[in-house]
Amino acid sequence: MNFVELFLNQEEKIREMSTMASTIVKEHFDPIIGAAQNDYMIKKFQTVESIKEQLEHGYRYFFVIKEDKCIGFLAFYPRNNAMYLSKFYLYKNERGKGYSHNMLDFVVEESKKLGLHAIELNVNKNNSACYAYDKLGFKVIRTEKNDIGSGFYMDDYVYCYEF
């Protein structure tokens, strides 16, 4: 498995990331939070412009590559004393194959390079991915309900993985 970093000057790759991210997120989250909120969140977080803005503010985005095929993506950035894992996604047909272990190992190694010893992320309380994070060794440390605008909220567990 390879992780190919996305950079701000790669306009075509940013468009590719936006398209892939929107596709994966749309498929996964519509049944959980509804199409209206999901469409709002995709526009807020996964457009070409929002990905560029995130890259400008220290996010690192990566394409997840398996046998020369893009199977997902991840994004993270240092926040406080932990690496914040903002995106950790695979296409539906690639889930359940154990790839998340390799993805987590990669994020751990990148975190260690910065002297960090924990990874945090938010997960919707109704997301089936909670089971995957539990299996990977993440622990729930709190809950949060965040207003993201237009009358929508993110009702999440905050998970932490320490190493």
Side-chain angles (χ1 to χ4, degrees):
M1 182 170 289
N2 295 310
F3 302 93
V4 178
E5 191 162 6
L6 178 67
F7 295 100
L8 193 54
N9 64 349
Q10 297 175 307
E11 186 76 29
E12 186 56 38
K13 291 291 185 185
I14 292 172
R15 274 194 293 280
E16 184 182 326
M17 178 66 73
S18 174
T19 299
M20 176 183 53
S22 298
T23 299
I24 292 173
V25 169
K26 181 82 175 149
E27 175 272 321
H28 186 73
F29 280 101
D30 269 11
I32 299 171
I33 61 174
Q37 180 170 341
N38 199 24
D39 289 345
Y40 174 79
M41 291 179 68
I42 288 169
K43 286 178 186 156
K44 187 173 178 77
F45 300 117
Q46 301 303 332
T47 62
V48 168
E49 295 77 22
S50 61
I51 291 172
K52 284 181 180 178
E53 185 177 321
Q54 291 166 41
L55 289 168
E56 288 171 352
H57 288 93
Y59 281 64
R60 294 180 67 199
Y61 269 82
F62 293 84
F63 293 95
V64 179
I65 309 296
K66 178 79 172 166
E67 298 171 2
D68 296 324
K69 179 182 164 197
C70 185
I71 63 169
F73 71 104
L74 45 84
F76 50 82
Y77 62 94
R79 183 173 81 178
N80 301 325
N81 293 321
M83 187 68 79
Y84 185 76
L85 184 55
S86 177
K87 319 281 190 281
F88 195 80
Y89 293 107
L90 292 166
Y91 282 108
K92 185 176 185 174
N93 63 328
E94 301 296 343
R95 296 178 200 143
K97 298 180 180 180
Y99 299 148
S100 60
H101 294 278
N102 300 96
M103 293 166 66
L104 177 59
D105 290 345
F106 175 73
V107 179
V108 166
E109 290 308 311
E110 293 300 307
S111 301
K112 287 179 178 178
K113 290 177 186 177
L114 298 177
L116 302 173
H117 300 284
I119 298 168
E120 289 188 5
L121 73 150
N122 286 53
V123 184
N124 181 282
K125 290 178 180 177
N126 297 311
N127 190 341
S128 60
C130 290
Y131 302 111
Y133 292 117
D134 291 338
K135 283 179 65 176
L136 286 169
F138 282 84
K139 303 291 183 213
V140 174
I141 57 172
R142 68 181 176 277
T143 61
E144 290 182 352
K145 189 168 184 177
N146 296 304
D147 183 342
I148 59 169
S150 293
F152 296 118
Y153 291 86
M154 293 180 6
D155 192 11
D156 295 340
Y157 293 119
V158 179
Y159 278 86
C160 183
Y161 181 84
E162 294 182 330
F163 46 90

